[in-house]
Amino acid sequence: MLNKKNRWSLVVFAVIVLLLVGSIFFFWMRANDEVRSIVEEQYQTQQLILTQYVSYSIGELLNERVLLLEVVAQKQQGVPDDLFRSEFETVYEVADIYYVLEFIDANGTVVSGYPVENVPLGFNLYSNNMTWAFEHVRDTGEVYISEPVNTMEGIFGAYVWVPVFENRQFRGSILGIVSDENIITQFETTSDSSNYVYIVDDKGMILYDQSGTYEKGTNYLDHIDQNDTDRLHVLEAQMGGMMGNGKYWQETTDGSEYVLVSYSPINWYNQRWSVGLTSPGDAVDDIILSVYVKLFTVAAVSVLFILFVSSQVYIILLNWNKTLEREVEKKTSELQESNESLTAANIKLKELDGLKNEFLSMVSHELKTPLTAMKTSSEFLLEDRCEPAVRNQLLALIVRNVDRQARLVDDLLDISRIESNRIKFNMEPVSLPEALDHSIENIRRLSESKGVVLRVDMPQSLPAVIADRDKLIQVFVNLLNNAVKFTQRGGAVTVLAQDSGDNIEVVVSDTGIGIDPSHVGHIFDKFYQIDSTSTRTAGGCGLGLAITKGLVEGMGGSIRVESKPGVGSKFILTLKKAQS
C-alpha cells in the first residue's frame, strides 16, 4: 500500500506526464498548420515555374514562327515567280503551327498558298469587306496579328499578316492562319490529370481551355460570378499582363473546393495573352498526407516513450527516495556542521548568478542593438527607391555596427586569453610619446564629436618603457576612450607622465562624472558596470578596464584609480623603465 506522501507524489507525477502529452499534441497541431502553409507555398512556386516555362516556350515558338514569314517576305529578289509557293511549303513543314499560308497581292486577291487544298485562290478581300488588317500592314509596314476568332476555314485561330515590299513598293501581304490546337500540342503542359491549362487574352477572351468547361472565343468574365472577388482578381491580373499565384473557391457537384492557380504572360507582337495553370487544393492535401502520417507516428512514439520512461523513472525515484530518507537521517548532523559554509557559498553563488544575469542582459543588448540597425538598414537597401546618398549612409551604418560587434568579440577573446595565460607579449623598448600619439589618433574623432579637449603633458625626452607596443597602445586607447565617454561636452581629458626612479608613471585624468566610492573597488572586475541596465547611455560590455588591467600587469606594470563623483577620475599606470 502507498502511504499518503507517495500517493501525492504519484498524482503530481501523473499530472506532469499528462501535461507533457498535451504539449506534444498541441505543438503537433501547430506544426500541421505550418507544414500545410509551407507546402502550399512551395507547391505554388513550382507550379509558377512550370507556368513560366510554358508561357515563355509558347511566346518563343510563336515569335520564331512569325520570324520565318518575315524572312520570306524580305527576300532581296522581291516576289519570286512562283509567288512564294516553295517557301510556303518549307515554312509550313518546319513551323508546324500554321493551318494555311497564303500570298495576297496588292489588289487584295489570294494568288498562291500552301497547302493547296486549304487555299481559297481568287478570294478578294475588298469584295468581302475584309481589308482592315491588310490595309493596316500596307500603311504601317509592320507585322500585325489579329485576335483569335472562329475563321471561315472552320478553325479557331489567329491571322498573321506580314507585309511584302519590293523597292519600297507594296506588293501584297503574306497571311498565315495559326491554329490554337497546333500551338498547344507543341507542349506537355502537365502530367497530372487533375490540373489543366487555359489561355486568355488581355480582354479576357478564352483562347484555350484544356478542361473543356468553357467555349473558346467567349469571355471569361461572363462565366464568373461578380461576387467571386478572388477569381476576378486573378483574371484582372492576367489581363494586366502580370505574373503570380492565386486561389479561389469554386462550386462542384460535391459542394465547393478551392483551386490554386499560377499565371504568366505571353507577349506575341501586338498580342498580349496569359497562360493559367490550375490545380485543386486537394493536391496540397495529398502531398502533406505523408507528412501528417509521419508527424502522427512521431507523436505517438514520443508519447509511448514518455509513458514508458516516466514509469521507469518513477520506480527508480521511488526507490531512491527511500534510500535518501535513510541517508538524510544519517547525514543530518554532518549537514548541520557545514550549514554555515554552505550559506556563505550560497550567498556567493547568488552574487555570481546576479553578475551572470547582468552580463547576459548587457551582451544581449550590445549584440541586439547593432543587429537591429543592420537589419533595418539592409531591409531599406532592398527597396528599389533607395537613393545613392541614403544607400551610402546605410552602408556606413552597417559597417559601423559590424565594427562594434567585432570589438565586442575581440574583447571577449582578449579577456579569455588573459585569464588562460595564452596571451603573448612582445616586450621591447617603447617610446611613450609615440604610443600615445597613435592612441590619440584612434579616439580623436570621438573626442571632437563630443566636444572634449585632449591635453598631453609628456616630455619628448621621457625614457622608453619595456612593454608590448601594440598592447600598450590598446591600453591607452581603452583609458582615453573611457575618459572621453564619461566626460560631458566642454570637458577635458589630460595625460601626464613623469619619471619616478625605475618606473614611469602615466596619469590619465578627466573632468567627467566620476565614480562613486562603492564602485571603485570593483571597477577592474570583469563585466562590471556602474550602470548595467539595458537603457544605459554608455555602451560596452564591462571588459575594457579588466582587459586594460590584465595587459598592464602582463607587461610587469600596475594600474589603480582615484575618483570623486562630479569631479572626475584618474587612472595611474606604473610601467617599467627600459634600461639605457
Side-chain angles (χ1 to χ4, degrees):
M1 294 291 292
L2 295 174
N3 57 33
K4 185 176 181 180
K5 181 178 179 180
N6 288 336
R7 285 199 300 271
W8 276 108
S9 300
L10 181 61
V11 170
V12 172
F13 186 79
V15 170
I16 293 174
V17 171
L18 289 175
L19 288 174
L20 288 173
V21 172
S23 299
I24 289 175
F25 277 102
F26 173 75
F27 287 111
W28 178 66
M29 294 299 295
R30 288 283 302 272
N32 281 346
D33 294 338
E34 293 178 4
V35 167
R36 181 180 185 85
S37 176
I38 293 172
V39 171
E40 182 176 299
E41 181 180 350
Q42 293 297 321
Y43 180 81
Q44 282 205 288
T45 299
Q46 293 179 355
Q47 293 295 87
L48 180 59
I49 293 173
L50 176 59
T51 307
Q52 288 177 279
Y53 166 74
V54 172
S55 64
Y56 176 79
S57 300
I58 292 177
E60 287 296 298
L61 170 76
L62 294 172
N63 287 318
E64 289 175 0
R65 297 317 190 252
V66 174
L67 182 61
L68 292 175
L69 294 184
E70 289 188 80
V71 172
V72 171
Q74 294 173 4
K75 295 177 68 69
Q76 293 184 355
Q77 64 271 27
V79 178
D81 295 336
D82 65 350
L83 302 177
F84 300 111
R85 288 188 183 89
S86 59
E87 286 86 353
F88 285 166
E89 182 176 357
T90 301
V91 171
Y92 182 87
E93 298 298 334
V94 171
D96 200 26
I97 67 168
Y98 290 111
Y99 171 77
V100 66
L101 294 172
E102 303 171 3
F103 176 59
I104 303 172
D105 65 14
N107 298 319
T109 302
V110 178
V111 294
S112 70
Y114 186 87
V116 177
E117 62 272 16
N118 296 337
V119 179
L121 293 174
F123 183 85
N124 187 270
L125 299 178
Y126 287 95
S127 299
N128 291 275
N129 196 24
M130 298 173 63
T131 60
W132 187 90
F134 180 75
E135 292 176 346
H136 177 75
V137 298
R138 180 197 65 191
D139 297 337
T140 63
E142 297 178 353
V143 174
Y144 178 76
I145 299 171
S146 66
E147 295 179 356
V149 293
N150 289 306
T151 69
M152 65 180 184
E153 287 81 4
I155 65 170
F156 186 79
Y159 290 91
V160 179
W161 300 84
V162 181
V164 178
F165 287 87
E166 184 177 350
N167 296 327
R168 298 184 179 181
Q169 181 181 358
F170 181 67
R171 296 296 305 279
S173 174
I174 294 176
L175 172 63
I177 302 177
V178 179
S179 169
D180 68 317
E181 295 296 337
N182 290 344
I183 297 173
I184 298 302
T185 54
Q186 301 284 329
F187 304 97
E188 289 291 337
T189 56
T190 174
S191 59
D192 189 344
S193 59
S194 61
N195 300 346
Y196 69 88
V197 172
Y198 66 91
I199 301 176
V200 296
D201 67 6
D202 55 1
K203 297 180 180 60
M205 184 172 66
I206 299 171
L207 307 181
Y208 174 76
D209 180 28
Q210 188 180 23
S211 68
T213 305
Y214 306 116
E215 183 180 354
K216 290 182 289 187
T218 61
N219 197 294
Y220 206 161
L221 291 169
D222 297 335
H223 302 288
I224 300 178
D225 187 339
Q226 295 303 307
N227 294 323
D228 190 354
T229 57
D230 292 335
R231 198 167 185 180
L232 286 172
H233 287 162
V234 171
L235 184 58
E236 288 171 358
Q238 289 189 265
M239 292 166 61
M242 300 174 66
M243 175 178 64
N245 293 313
K247 59 183 179 181
Y248 56 85
W249 287 89
Q250 71 175 11
E251 297 297 325
T252 64
T253 55
D254 299 328
S256 62
E257 64 176 3
Y258 81 92
V259 178
L260 305 176
V261 57
S262 300
Y263 48 88
S264 182
I266 300 174
N267 294 316
W268 182 30
Y269 285 79
N270 55 288
Q271 290 294 311
R272 300 292 180 266
W273 299 352
S274 179
V275 172
L277 174 60
T278 66
S279 309
D282 294 343
V284 176
D285 295 330
D286 293 339
I287 294 175
I288 64 175
L289 179 61
S290 60
V291 178
Y292 285 165
V293 171
K294 292 176 182 178
L295 286 173
F296 179 79
T297 302
V298 170
V301 171
S302 299
V303 170
L304 292 175
F305 179 76
I306 288 175
L307 292 174
F308 172 76
V309 172
S310 299
S311 63
Q312 297 301 312
V313 169
Y314 179 76
I315 294 172
I316 293 172
L317 290 176
L318 190 61
N319 292 331
W320 280 359
N321 184 57
K322 294 178 180 179
T323 303
L324 287 174
E325 286 178 354
R326 292 192 295 267
E327 289 293 324
V328 166
E329 293 175 359
K330 181 195 278 189
K331 299 294 183 180
T332 299
S333 59
E334 297 177 7
L335 290 174
Q336 290 176 343
E337 294 176 0
S338 61
N339 184 55
E340 292 182 2
S341 61
L342 286 175
T343 301
N346 185 52
I347 294 173
K348 183 64 176 178
L349 286 174
K350 287 182 179 179
E351 292 177 356
L352 292 175
D353 186 61
L355 289 175
K356 178 200 70 174
N357 292 335
E358 291 178 2
F359 167 69
L360 290 177
S361 175
M362 174 274 301
V363 169
S364 299
H365 175 77
E366 291 298 319
L367 289 174
K368 185 176 181 180
T369 299
L371 283 175
T372 301
M374 288 188 285
K375 181 177 183 295
T376 304
S377 300
S378 301
E379 291 174 346
F380 194 81
L381 285 173
L382 292 175
E383 298 289 339
D384 293 336
R385 63 177 182 274
C386 187
E387 298 293 336
V390 176
R391 184 183 298 273
N392 292 336
Q393 292 178 2
L394 294 177
L395 289 174
L397 176 62
I398 292 174
V399 171
R400 288 198 301 273
N401 281 282
V402 169
D403 292 340
R404 178 177 176 182
Q405 287 199 322
R407 287 194 298 272
L408 174 59
V409 173
D410 289 340
D411 285 348
L412 292 171
L413 291 174
D414 285 343
I415 199 67
S416 174
R417 294 191 190 100
I418 290 172
E419 291 200 330
S420 60
N421 294 321
R422 290 186 291 109
I423 191 166
K424 296 181 180 180
F425 292 91
N426 181 24
M427 304 297 288
E428 60 180 347
V430 178
S431 169
L432 276 176
E434 179 185 350
L436 184 61
D437 286 343
H438 283 286
S439 305
I440 289 176
E441 286 302 316
N442 284 329
I443 61 101
R444 187 176 299 280
R445 180 177 296 178
L446 175 62
S447 66
E448 291 176 351
S449 66
K450 287 198 66 177
V452 175
V453 178
L454 295 176
R455 300 192 183 106
V456 178
D457 185 1
M458 183 177 294
Q460 292 295 323
S461 60
L462 197 67
V465 295
I466 292 295
D468 184 309
R469 181 178 182 277
D470 293 335
K471 292 178 177 58
L472 182 58
I473 291 174
Q474 184 178 352
V475 167
F476 284 145
V477 169
N478 284 350
L479 293 176
L480 291 171
N481 186 67
N482 267 6
V484 172
K485 186 191 302 183
F486 294 103
T487 298
Q488 300 89 339
R489 178 173 295 277
V493 174
T494 305
V495 182
L496 303 175
Q498 60 183 5
D499 192 334
S500 60
D502 294 335
N503 300 314
I504 299 294
E505 188 175 83
V506 182
V507 180
V508 179
S509 61
D510 61 65
T511 60
I513 60 177
I515 305 170
D516 189 89
S518 63
H519 296 291
V520 170
H522 302 283
I523 200 68
F524 292 109
D525 292 348
K526 298 187 302 295
F527 311 121
Y528 188 83
Q529 290 187 324
I530 296 174
D531 179 9
S532 60
T533 64
S534 61
T535 59
R536 63 189 184 275
T537 56
C541 60
L543 291 175
L545 290 177
I547 293 172
T548 298
K549 186 174 186 292
L551 294 178
V552 171
E553 292 179 349
M555 293 185 290
S558 63
I559 184 171
R560 68 184 190 278
V561 62
E562 298 175 358
S563 182
K564 292 182 180 180
V567 177
S569 303
K570 291 182 180 180
F571 286 85
I572 301 98
L573 286 79
T574 302
L575 301 170
K576 291 183 179 180
K577 187 189 301 183
Q579 297 296 325
S580 56

